Amino acid sequence: MTKKTPTSDYTGCIVIDPLTRIEGHLRLEIHVENGYVTEARSCGTLFRGIENILIGRNPEDVQHFTQRTCGVCTYTHALCTTRALEDTMKTVIPPNATYIRNIVLGIQYMHDHLVHFYHLHGLDFIDVSSVIDADIQKTLKLANELSTQPYTEIDFRETKYKIQKLIDSDQLGPFAGAYSTGGHPAYYLSAEANLLLTTHYLKALRLQVKTARAMAIFGAKNPHTQFLIAGGVTCYEALREENLDEFYKLYKETFDFIENILVPDITLIANEYRDWSAFGGSQNFLTFGEFPDTEKVRDLDARWLKPGLILNRDLSIIHPFEPKKIAEHIGHSWYKGEPIQHPINGTTIPEFTKMGDLDRYSWMKSPRYDGLAVETGPLAQMLVSYAQGHPEVTTNLNDLLKKLNMSVDDLFSTIGRTISRVVQCYTVAQQVDVWFQALKNNLASGDLQICKKVDIPDYATGIGYLNAPRGGLSHWMKIEHGVVSNFQLVVPSTWNFGPIDNFGQKGPVENALIGTPVYDPKRPIEILRTVHAFDPCIACSVHVIDSLTNESSTHKIL
Amino acid sequence: MHTEKDAENIKTENVEAKTKATLTNIEYEILFKEKSQFDLLNFCADVAKNMGLADEEIPSVVKALTNENRPSVIYLHNAECTGCSEALLRSSSPYIDQIIFDAISLDYHETLMAASGDGAESLLEKAVNNPNGFICLVEGSIPVDFHGTIGGHTMYENCARILPKANIVIAVGTCSAYGGIQTARPNPTGSKGISECFSNLKAPVINLAGCPPNPLNLMGVIVALLQNKDIELDTKGRPKMFYGKTVHMLCERLPHFKAKRFALSFDSEEARLGYCLHKLGCKGPKTFNNCPSALFNSVNWPVKAGHPCVGCSEPDFWDTFTPFYGKN
């Protein structure tokens, strides 16, 4: 039975600054009327100036700079820059290099989605403090119903013991001061479900160490891999049999966790929180596709997951992705220059006005596609792939929807975003095995090449497209006199979190927040739920300001 | 030296032996305590090894990490990419949950904490005013001109208020130590490292340089602090026990360098054979850090992955060590 969403008759403002459990610093100001969000604006409050630092640099060095845009989406920026540089030379890299890059990116998806689900988003659904009331036998029964994973009493007793010990010590660390403390009607799970999921939270904390290690076998380290070069990869030692075996062991352990724990857990959470299929939806979706083909490595349409655009939730037509339709609006951002810019000629010239400026209020630009605000990320990719009949995505998504007794329409929502992330994680995780076996076969056939020599041009432009775990990322590079003369990054979270554009249209998150219920303005967990479902990764910050009324309630979320 | 596998085996044996019998709550508690003691011993041994301590000193490391009252740690974020926090999350000796639930009390960390609301802000205040003091870890540089803000305060104001109260400040990563990527030419935000911003701290800042720094080194510093040991710093504020030698001196490819066996391109047979990367731009000889011996993610480091060292633990490496590739 669907839980009744708790509501209130609260009217007023809620200020959230900074919002935690994300990458970066996030501030939101929300207006609520009769218990539902009616207004939201979004603004970044930190400018790092990476784009300006890149001017005049050696093109080959740039991947190391851009990778430092974000330590959570590590590798994705380095890879995107490398693709942009290779695009300037139309380089076709050796097949082994494509396999290895795909495997490493696949592992990054597995790692990123796992950590997001349990450690960044999980506490929006899980009430850790209630686990001390859970019945061990009932938890065991619930666990055995959900998954074939073998559990013993010990697993759950140990979690209870650990949490009890934290509570007794009065040093709760990261669990201190959660919205759920003392009970919150917007938290629906039983004490037993909370105990099960908290156990998985702790298990996942250790498992992700191994997932990152799998990535480091090829990539040198995580975060901030160091093994890419224009023309391929450098990790010869990773190809030794013992290293490949070690990689596979670590990969397999993570895969098993995803299959036997993560997937059952999303069914548990989505089932209990199914009322959240009514909140947080968007209209338009864009994805660049991902995982290049070894032969047609430069062809976006040949990628394993294909690019595409969905308009007005219409899954019957997938529109082609046309790069020339991307533009960035800066009319409401703290930049000067042309108000609408194509990224290849884009500028990033800071012009700060003031905090609280209602007209220009963000360090983020607003990317638009053909003038439209579009959502990017796992929901966009899964919807596009589903509508295109991608075999693995279709099977996995249908399986999960069937278990949940939900339809595809339910995915246009906060819980749909979280479901899609798990499906994407699981589907990509399955495919990593395919690329790994293909790599091994190719090596066994005698093809040992992992990179090739390239000549960096003195004058050229290049674009890299990458579907990061959080969505569509593109790097736009211009080389003149042998050095970078312009470089722009259009990142997933600006697509999703950017401010109002020059036509007055809100960004996807601002839109999605409207209609979100708020039961207790002092503990607005519902807002966090929708914002976290987008998996914000903002190396700058986001700031939503109420523009309609005076603040009536200020509330900080640290 | 215990391995992860031993720990797993012992855990399995314990579980198998004891689940068959019905345990009382007290017996369960003893079991978990034993297990947690074992884990602790295991990771203390790793930390001690990285600190260059003899086996006899392991018990003192254990003692430092088993205080009834875990030391309070406040972790602040400034202009950064969160990579240093992520590196800490990847720690395996000890695991992050052992660090934050058994060894220290992580009372403020924006990426991890569930806390929210004014209650959370008061948690920060409580931690800052803890009578036993606190250790402050700082990630990210301070944008002095552009004033990134958190909770309505500038990053500079936050640090100016909190850092002088800390018993000790550890700069986690090259950004908080020296400014890092934000200060790279032309330093558009006027960013600085902590030492450059504040001269009124209780003790010199410990600079754990690196992009990211190795979490094993961070743990070693925390242990040394808890043992009340003097931490000897080099002229750049880095603990000598981890940054006393160059990457080059510790590099497994040093014999190739000495024998003048160099890779001249990445697609060469020499590169495949693991020859020295000096002529492809390796900055190992100019970089003080223990990457080759500490390893990242317990498994690898850049030169082992066939890529030159970029010198990420040196101040201003983004400007003085670029171009990263080509002749040194």
Side-chain angles (χ1 to χ4, degrees):
Chain A
M1 207 184 77
T2 306
K3 295 276 192 311
K4 197 170 175 322
T5 312
T7 52
S8 69
D9 56 4
Y10 176 74
T11 295
C13 283
I14 300 170
V15 180
I16 305 180
D17 181 8
L19 198 141
T20 56
R21 284 184 278 120
I22 59 159
E23 194 292 322
H25 316 290
L26 180 71
R27 176 181 166 98
L28 294 170
E29 288 189 21
I30 305 282
H31 183 66
V32 178
E33 238 170 283
N34 288 319
Y36 290 92
V37 174
T38 53
E39 181 67 17
R41 293 208 319 174
S42 138
C43 137
T45 60
L46 171 65
F47 172 66
R48 288 168 72 214
I50 304 264
E51 280 137 324
N52 298 339
I53 289 167
L54 295 175
I55 309 282
R57 303 275 171 183
N58 186 316
E60 289 172 283
D61 291 345
V62 173
Q63 57 148 322
H64 299 289
F65 286 81
T66 57
Q67 182 159 221
R68 271 69 183 185
T69 305
C70 179
V72 179
C73 323
T74 188
Y75 178 56
T76 58
H77 284 279
L79 181 58
C80 198
T81 296
T82 305
R83 284 179 180 173
L85 182 53
E86 286 166 353
D87 185 48
T88 65
M89 303 170 276
K90 314 286 177 238
T91 311
V92 176
I93 58 173
N96 288 332
T98 300
Y99 287 133
I100 292 170
R101 288 180 183 185
N102 283 352
I103 289 166
V104 175
L105 186 58
I107 296 285
Q108 169 68 2
Y109 270 67
M110 292 163 73
H111 185 279
D112 212 331
H113 289 342
L114 203 61
V115 169
H116 179 264
F117 184 86
Y118 289 103
H119 309 120
L120 304 184
H121 198 20
L123 300 180
D124 300 338
F125 302 102
I126 306 165
D127 174 5
V128 174
S129 63
S130 86
V131 308
I132 54 172
D133 302 322
D135 181 279
I136 298 288
Q137 292 305 327
K138 279 188 194 163
T139 310
L140 199 55
K141 188 164 169 283
L142 173 70
N144 289 331
E145 280 166 8
L146 269 173
S147 166
T148 52
Q149 183 77 5
Y151 290 95
T152 68
E153 268 187 49
I154 300 272
D155 295 308
F156 304 121
R157 281 190 187 273
E158 189 173 7
T159 307
K160 251 181 110 160
Y161 169 78
K162 280 183 179 168
I163 300 298
Q164 186 71 58
K165 209 172 78 173
L166 285 177
I167 291 172
D168 293 346
S169 73
D170 200 25
Q171 287 187 310
L172 271 162
F175 294 139
Y179 275 160
S180 52
T181 312
H184 189 306
Y187 279 85
Y188 303 157
L189 299 176
S190 65
E192 288 73 26
N194 283 319
L195 176 55
L196 178 66
L197 291 164
T198 303
T199 304
H200 295 164
Y201 175 105
L202 294 172
K203 274 186 195 293
L205 211 46
R206 287 202 180 184
L207 178 84
Q208 57 88 27
V209 171
K210 296 184 179 178
T211 318
R213 189 177 300 157
M215 197 162 160
I217 287 177
F218 291 105
K221 56 194 171 91
N222 172 315
H224 298 333
T225 57
Q226 203 165 316
F227 77 119
L228 290 171
I229 48 164
V233 293
T234 63
C235 50
Y236 291 105
E237 282 206 30
L239 305 183
R240 285 193 197 157
E241 202 178 332
E242 68 268 25
N243 292 333
L244 291 176
D245 289 349
E246 174 70 6
F247 166 83
Y248 195 72
K249 211 179 80 195
L250 295 164
Y251 153 73
K252 196 69 179 52
E253 196 175 339
T254 307
F255 177 81
D256 290 346
F257 190 99
I258 290 167
E259 184 169 63
N260 300 322
I261 296 180
L262 175 63
V263 173
D265 282 352
I266 186 62
T267 60
L268 174 64
I269 287 179
N271 200 35
E272 293 293 329
Y273 287 92
R274 56 196 310 128
D275 57 326
W276 279 81
S277 62
F279 308 114
S282 301
Q283 296 302 314
N284 307 318
F285 301 87
L286 176 69
T287 185
F288 300 157
E290 194 42 80
F291 303 108
D293 181 73
T294 48
E295 299 298 318
K296 299 176 189 164
V297 64
R298 297 184 25 79
D299 182 357
L300 294 188
D301 290 318
R303 288 180 171 187
W304 178 65
L305 297 169
K306 310 265 182 268
L309 170 76
I310 292 167
L311 296 175
N312 299 316
R313 301 188 179 185
D314 182 359
L315 297 181
S316 68
I317 311 168
I318 300 298
H319 303 270
F321 163 58
E322 297 172 64
K324 64 174 188 296
K325 291 185 175 170
I326 295 178
E328 290 195 291
H329 295 212
I330 60 168
H332 294 276
S333 311
W334 287 314
Y335 298 103
K336 59 183 172 187
E338 282 296 310
I340 299 179
Q341 309 180 336
H342 191 266
I344 200 71
N345 297 314
T347 58
T348 304
I349 310 165
E351 190 181 54
F352 182 64
T353 55
K354 59 170 186 178
M355 272 299 160
D357 184 336
L358 294 181
D359 182 45
R360 296 175 60 198
Y361 59 93
S362 181
W363 284 120
M364 288 185 147
K365 301 174 182 179
S366 290
R368 290 294 180 261
Y369 183 84
D370 209 8
L372 296 168
V374 295
E375 173 175 347
T376 183
L379 176 57
Q381 184 64 62
M382 290 301 96
L383 288 173
V384 165
S385 293
Y386 187 80
Q388 290 167 334
H390 187 283
E392 293 88 348
V393 170
T394 308
T395 305
N396 291 337
L397 195 52
N398 279 339
D399 281 356
L400 195 53
L401 289 174
K402 199 176 152 198
K403 268 187 211 150
L404 288 167
N405 196 19
M406 283 186 180
S407 76
V408 177
D409 290 341
D410 291 318
L411 295 177
F412 296 100
S413 65
T414 292
I415 202 70
R417 218 164 265 126
T418 302
I419 291 170
S420 300
R421 185 170 295 104
V422 171
V423 172
Q424 178 171 281
C425 179
Y426 180 49
T427 312
V428 169
Q430 288 174 316
Q431 189 65 16
V432 168
D433 202 352
V434 176
W435 292 316
F436 183 74
Q437 300 311 330
L439 170 69
K440 277 179 67 167
N441 290 340
N442 202 45
L443 291 170
S445 77
D447 176 6
L448 299 175
Q449 194 186 8
I450 59 172
C451 62
K452 64 190 241 188
K453 204 169 167 50
V454 295
D455 291 312
I456 309 294
D458 286 335
Y459 294 85
T461 55
I463 308 165
Y465 299 101
L466 189 141
N467 216 51
R470 290 172 175 80
L473 168 68
S474 53
H475 285 186
W476 308 69
M477 177 190 257
K478 205 182 246 185
I479 303 171
E480 288 179 285
H481 306 291
V483 297
V484 173
S485 63
N486 197 12
F487 200 100
Q488 298 292 322
L489 303 92
V490 185
V491 309
S493 292
T494 56
W495 283 104
N496 290 335
F497 282 79
I500 295 172
D501 64 27
N502 291 20
F503 308 141
Q505 301 176 99
K506 290 178 185 303
V509 171
E510 290 177 339
N511 261 326
L513 280 170
I514 291 173
T516 300
V518 176
Y519 172 77
D520 178 358
K522 296 251 177 267
R523 299 183 296 164
I525 183 59
E526 299 94 334
I527 291 170
L528 294 196
R529 226 170 248 164
T530 290
V531 169
H532 281 148
F534 277 92
D535 195 2
C537 188
I538 308 160
C540 37
S541 7
V542 171
H543 182 154
V544 183
I545 300 171
D546 168 56
S547 60
L548 300 178
T549 61
N550 293 323
E551 282 181 17
S552 58
S553 158
T554 300
H555 186 59
K556 286 195 176 136
I557 297 184
L558 292 165
Chain B
M1 196 69 189
H2 303 294
T3 65
E4 225 171 81
K5 210 167 180 184
D6 294 334
E8 277 303 310
N9 286 343
I10 288 182
K11 182 190 162 194
T12 317
E13 281 163 23
N14 274 346
V15 169
E16 279 173 5
K18 296 190 181 176
T19 38
K20 285 173 188 159
T22 312
L23 300 187
T24 65
N25 281 347
I26 293 164
E27 284 169 325
Y28 272 118
E29 195 154 313
I30 292 166
L31 171 65
F32 297 138
K33 266 194 184 140
E34 276 172 7
K35 193 168 149 257
S36 123
Q37 284 294 324
F38 180 82
D39 283 350
L40 191 71
L41 193 66
N42 202 13
F43 86 64
C44 288
D46 285 344
V47 172
K49 184 184 156 209
N50 190 51
M51 292 168 75
L53 301 178
D55 282 357
E56 302 86 81
E57 293 194 64
I58 294 174
S60 74
V61 175
V62 175
K63 192 160 172 269
L65 289 173
T66 46
N67 222 313
E68 207 38 37
N69 282 317
R70 289 170 283 137
S72 170
V73 172
I74 295 175
Y75 195 117
L76 298 177
H77 289 86
N78 296 307
E80 39 74 18
C81 75
T82 316
C84 299
S85 291
E86 291 290 325
L88 181 60
L89 273 180
R90 312 282 183 273
S91 167
S92 61
S93 336
Y95 282 105
I96 179 72
D97 60 302
Q98 295 173 313
I99 302 175
I100 62 179
F101 297 134
D102 297 333
I104 63 168
S105 182
L106 187 62
D107 292 328
Y108 187 83
H109 189 297
E110 287 164 20
T111 321
L112 282 174
M113 66 196 303
S116 35
D118 294 331
E121 187 141 83
S122 65
L123 280 177
L124 175 61
E125 284 315 300
K126 192 176 144 200
V128 168
N129 296 311
N130 187 332
N132 299 323
F134 63 95
I135 298 171
C136 197
L137 308 189
V138 185
E139 178 174 348
S141 64
I142 300 173
V144 174
D145 294 346
F146 265 85
H147 292 311
T149 64
I150 301 174
H153 307 290
T154 69
M155 290 165 180
Y156 182 86
E157 287 164 353
N158 273 343
C159 288
R161 184 172 67 89
I162 295 169
L163 301 192
K165 294 185 182 169
N167 290 346
I168 193 88
V169 175
I170 304 175
V172 184
T174 301
C175 291
S176 55
Y178 315 118
I181 188 166
Q182 288 78 213
T183 58
R185 249 186 340 258
N187 190 358
T189 57
S191 279
K192 289 179 179 175
I194 299 169
S195 305
E196 215 185 325
C197 282
F198 306 106
S199 55
N200 58 340
L201 307 183
K202 286 186 189 170
V205 177
I206 298 174
N207 287 331
L208 274 177
C211 189
N214 197 312
L216 207 50
N217 296 345
L218 174 58
M219 226 33 231
V221 166
I222 291 176
V223 167
L225 288 174
L226 298 180
Q227 290 176 302
N228 283 322
K229 281 193 175 168
D230 283 334
I231 299 175
E232 206 185 337
L233 304 179
D234 70 7
T235 53
K236 292 166 183 170
R238 300 172 295 199
K240 278 191 178 170
M241 60 180 157
F242 306 127
Y243 299 85
K245 290 182 180 158
T246 63
V247 166
H248 181 70
M249 285 157 79
L250 297 169
C251 183
E252 67 260 24
R253 297 190 182 190
L254 185 59
H256 289 305
F257 176 85
K258 287 182 173 162
K260 298 194 167 54
R261 290 191 295 263
F262 298 106
L264 298 177
S265 75
F266 290 108
D267 63 339
S268 64
E269 190 54 25
E270 291 75 16
R272 181 184 311 283
L273 289 169
Y275 283 9
C276 177
L277 300 173
H278 186 65
K279 298 203 176 204
L280 287 170
C282 186
K283 305 297 184 285
K286 296 193 265 187
T287 306
F288 287 83
N289 207 339
N290 62 353
C291 311
S293 57
L295 297 178
F296 288 95
N297 311 91
S298 319
V299 72
N300 210 349
W301 73 286
V303 170
K304 192 164 185 274
H307 193 286
C309 164
V310 296
C312 70
S313 55
E314 294 300 316
D316 304 323
F317 77 100
W318 293 108
D319 289 333
T320 54
F321 285 5
T322 45
F324 291 134
Y325 301 93
K327 262 191 210 156
N328 256 303

